[in-house]
Amino acid sequence: MATILLQAAGAALGSVFGPVGAVLGRAVGALAGSVIDRSIINGMTTVSGARLGDARIPGAEDGTAITRAYGTVRIGGTLIWATRFEEEVRVERQGGKASGPRVETFRYYANFALGICEGEIACVRRVWADGRELDLTGIEMRLYRGTGDQLPDPLIEAKQGVGKVPAYRRLAYAVFERLPLHNYGNRIPVIQFEVLRPAGALERQIRAVTIIPGSSEHGYDPVVVSEKTGAGASRLINRNVFHAGSDWQASIDELQALCPNLDRVALVVSWFGTDLRAGHCRIVPGVETSARDGESRAWSVSGIQRDGAWLVSRNNGGPAYGGTPSDASVAAAIADLKARGLKVYLYPFVMMDIAAGNTLPNPYGGIGQPAYPWRGRITAHPAPGLVGSADKTMAARTQVEAFGGTATAGHFSVSGPAVTSMGADEGYRRLVLHYALLAKGAGGVDGFIIGSELRGLTQLRDGAGPSRLLRRSSLLRPMSGLFPGWPPS
Amino acid sequence: MRCMTGGRCMSEVLRKDHPTSAPCADPPPQGEGDGAACAKRIVTAARSWIGTPYRHQASLKGVGCDCLGLVRGVWREIYGVEPELPPAYQPDWAERSGEDRLRGAARRHFGAELSVAEMQPGDLLLFCWRPDLPAKHAGIVGTEDRFIHAYEQAAVIESALVPSWRRRIAGVFRFPEKV
C-alpha cells in the first residue's frame, strides 16, 4: 500500500525536475514504501511452527503378555496409561526492533506409564528412548518394582481421582512425568529398560560387602567432580553412567537394590608402598597425574596436595593404579553409606607401587624387586629362610619399627572432617592414624580394619620365640586413647 | 510436581485478603501441650485445602496455591499469622539461585530438622528432586504413607508417599507448639 502511495508521491515531486526526475522520484518513493510495507505486514503476521493435531500414542493393546524376567534383561515397555500431551507455546519476535514476524513454536510433554514385567524386580539400570540412552537425572521417571504392597502413583491418582487408580501390584512399571517429546518427533518414543531381577537366593543372603578399588581419586565421591580438558571443554571424572548422578550413587543404589539385606560395608582406601624391604618401605598417598586443570573439587589427602603427592608409576600406557581417594570423597562416602542405613568399616590398605625394571635390592635375593608385588611380601631384609636373614634378630625389630614410623596422633591437625599430617614421617602408622582421625571427624565408623594381608611382616620375630612383633610394636600402640576400648586386650 | 508452572503472581491479592494481623477461623492453640491433637489440627487444616488448583506463588484456599502456598495457608489457619511473605520467585528459582532458601525458611520457622524415621502425621516434608540442587517441593504428612501437597499439574491432593519420592525427602520438620 505504502509502496503505491509513495511511488505516486515520489513521481509527482520528481516531475518538478522534468521526466527524468519523475522516474527517479517514483523509484525512490517505491523503495521507501516497500520498507514501510514490509515492517507493517511482517509485524502483523504470525508464523506458526509445527503443531500436532492430536497425541500420537503408540500401540497399547489389550491382552499383551506380561514378561517374566530372570537375571538382567532388556525389555520394551507396554503403554498402560497416558494423558493428552501438554502443549507449551513459545512466542518470539524475529528481526531487530520487534519489526519481524511473531513466531509461535510448540513443545510437547507427555505423561505416561509403561508396564515393564512381572515383579518383584530389584531395579532398572539403563533406560533407552528410541535406542538412545536416557539421562535419568534430567527427567522424572518413577519406578515401581512390582511389590505386593506398592501404592498408586501420585500423578495417575491426581489425574484420575483418588481411589480410582490401581496400584498395579506385582507389576513392575514406570511413570514418566512431563517427558519432553521434541527429541522424539513429538510422539512417545519406544522405551526399553534394562531390568535386574535376581532369580536365586544368594543376593538376599549377602549381609556384608567390601567396596574396592580403594584407588580412585574421586570415585568414592557421591557428588560429581569435573576437570577441564581444553579450551571450553571439560569432562566428568566420576560419572560414567547416565542412570545416576555419579558412579558412586549408581553402584551403591544398585548394590542395595540387589542385596536388600545388606547390613555392613568395608570401604577400602589405598596408599602406596614403595619397597618390599620393611625398613625402606615408604607408605604414601598417590595420584594418577600431577596436574589437573580446573578440578571442581581439588584432590587432597592428609594435607598433601596433588602436585606434592606420589605419582603412581605408569604401566601399559596408563597409571598402574588409580590414585588414592581424596579425603573429601572418603568422608562424603562414609556419610552417604551411613545415611543409607549401612554400617561402615573403614579399611586402610597398602598397594605396592614398584614398577618393572627397578634396581631395588630384593629381600628374597638378588637385585630388582618383582613388579607390582603383593603387599604380603613386604618383609625383613634379608627375608626369613635366607642365609643371614634378619628374622629372629634385633634387626627385624628395627626394620619393623622403621616400617611403622614414628607418627603419633599429636602429629596431625584436625579441624572438623579435615585431617592434616604435620610430620615428615612416611610410615604405616601415619596411614592408620590419618584414617582413624578422619573416621572420627566424619562422625565415627562401626569398625576399622588394619594390618590386612601383611603376612610377611606378622610372621617376623625379634628373638627365637613367637612374639607377635608387629602387633606389639607398631600398629596398636599409637591408636591408644583414640577410640573407646582400644587396643583390644 | 516440580512447582514450576508459570502463572500470574497472586501475592498482591494475598496481601489484601490476608492481613497478617487478622485472626483466622481457628483459634490459635492455647498452651497446646498435646502433640497428637496439634498434629490432628494441622492434618485437618491441610486436608481442607484439597482440590485447590495449582497456581504458582499463590496461597488462597479454594482459589489457587503452590506447594509453599499450601504450607503458608495451613500455618495461617493454625497460628493466625502469616509466617513470612516470600519474595516473588520464578518457577525455576532453585536451579538458578542455588541457594537453599526453602530449607532456610523452614529452619527459621520450624526449628531443626528431624530424621525421616521420626516422621509423623502433621509434619512438614521438603523434597529435593536432584541431590545437587536445593530443596524445592513441600508437603504435609497426612498418614504414615500419604502426604498432602499442591501437585503442579493438578491441585492440592493427598498423594501416596511412593518409594521414589520417599527417597527424595530432604527434610522433616515439626510444626512448633507456639509462635
Side-chain angles (χ1 to χ4, degrees), chain A residues 159-320:
Chain A
K159 297 283 185 191
Q160 307 299 132
V162 174
K164 296 177 185 164
V165 177
Y168 301 104
R169 287 187 174 158
R170 306 264 173 225
L171 176 74
Y173 73 106
V175 176
F176 290 82
E177 183 166 339
R178 281 194 102 233
L179 180 75
L181 298 179
H182 55 266
N183 285 337
Y184 311 110
N186 286 335
R187 55 166 183 82
I188 296 176
V190 175
I191 292 194
Q192 289 173 309
F193 302 88
E194 185 180 21
V195 173
L196 275 68
R197 179 167 177 259
L202 174 67
E203 288 84 354
R204 296 198 162 273
Q205 291 169 14
I206 293 175
R207 307 292 303 278
V209 159
T210 298
I211 297 177
I212 52 169
S215 56
S216 165
E217 287 179 3
H218 296 290
Y220 285 168
D221 208 321
V223 177
V224 82
V225 179
S226 61
E227 69 165 327
K228 283 188 187 154
T229 52
S234 66
R235 82 179 175 108
L236 303 178
I237 300 174
N238 60 341
R239 185 176 184 221
N240 297 287
V241 293
F242 273 136
H243 58 276
S246 63
D247 293 340
W248 170 267
Q249 283 172 357
S251 327
I252 309 297
D253 282 352
E254 192 174 314
L255 175 66
Q256 284 194 293
L258 286 173
C259 307
N261 296 319
L262 189 71
D263 182 40
R264 51 193 70 192
V265 294
L267 187 66
V268 174
V269 190
S270 293
W271 286 23
F272 299 94
T274 58
D275 203 306
L276 283 181
R277 295 168 297 165
H280 292 81
C281 187
R282 299 162 57 205
I283 296 173
V284 288
V287 290
E288 295 152 35
T289 167
S290 52
R292 281 195 199 278
D293 189 19
E295 208 175 1
S296 63
R297 290 180 101 172
W299 182 94
S300 158
V301 170
S302 202
I304 300 165
Q305 308 301 315
R306 178 178 291 283
D307 52 2
W310 170 267
L311 185 61
V312 169
S313 65
R314 296 185 73 81
N315 186 26
N316 292 332

Side-chain angles (χ1 to χ4, degrees), chain A residues 83 86 111 137-144 151-155 157-159 162 177-178 223 249 253, chain B residues 1-2 4 129-131 145-147 149 151-154 157-165 167-168:
Chain A
T83 62
E86 185 189 324
N111 299 308
T137 60
I139 60 163
E140 171 70 7
M141 182 191 96
R142 284 190 293 275
L143 177 74
Y144 295 88
L151 295 166
D153 181 73
L155 176 67
E157 215 171 33
K159 297 283 185 191
V162 174
E177 183 166 339
R178 281 194 102 233
V223 177
Q249 283 172 357
D253 282 352
Chain B
M1 115 193 142
R2 277 195 183 79
M4 280 173 63
W129 299 130
R130 282 174 55 173
D145 55 7
R146 289 197 162 257
F147 75 114
H149 66 133
Y151 205 136
E152 186 193 334
Q153 293 198 37
I157 185 175
E158 187 158 357
S159 287
L161 195 49
V162 295
S164 50
W165 280 5
R167 257 203 309 278
R168 289 160 166 177

Side-chain angles (χ1 to χ4, degrees), chain A residues 83-152:
Chain A
T83 62
R84 290 187 187 88
F85 290 173
E86 185 189 324
E87 186 180 74
E88 185 186 272
V89 188
R90 291 188 184 185
V91 181
E92 286 166 316
R93 282 257 181 217
Q94 279 187 347
K97 312 283 185 207
S99 62
R102 240 165 68 101
V103 177
E104 278 182 349
T105 49
F106 299 90
R107 282 172 173 249
Y108 294 90
Y109 299 87
N111 299 308
F112 58 96
L114 294 175
I116 303 172
C117 67
E118 189 183 272
E120 172 183 342
I121 62 168
C123 62
V124 160
R125 194 187 281 142
R126 289 173 289 178
V127 178
W128 295 269
D130 285 350
R132 286 178 57 188
E133 201 182 336
L134 274 176
D135 184 345
L136 295 186
T137 60
I139 60 163
E140 171 70 7
M141 182 191 96
R142 284 190 293 275
L143 177 74
Y144 295 88
R145 299 189 299 115
T147 56
D149 58 355
Q150 68 193 18
L151 295 166

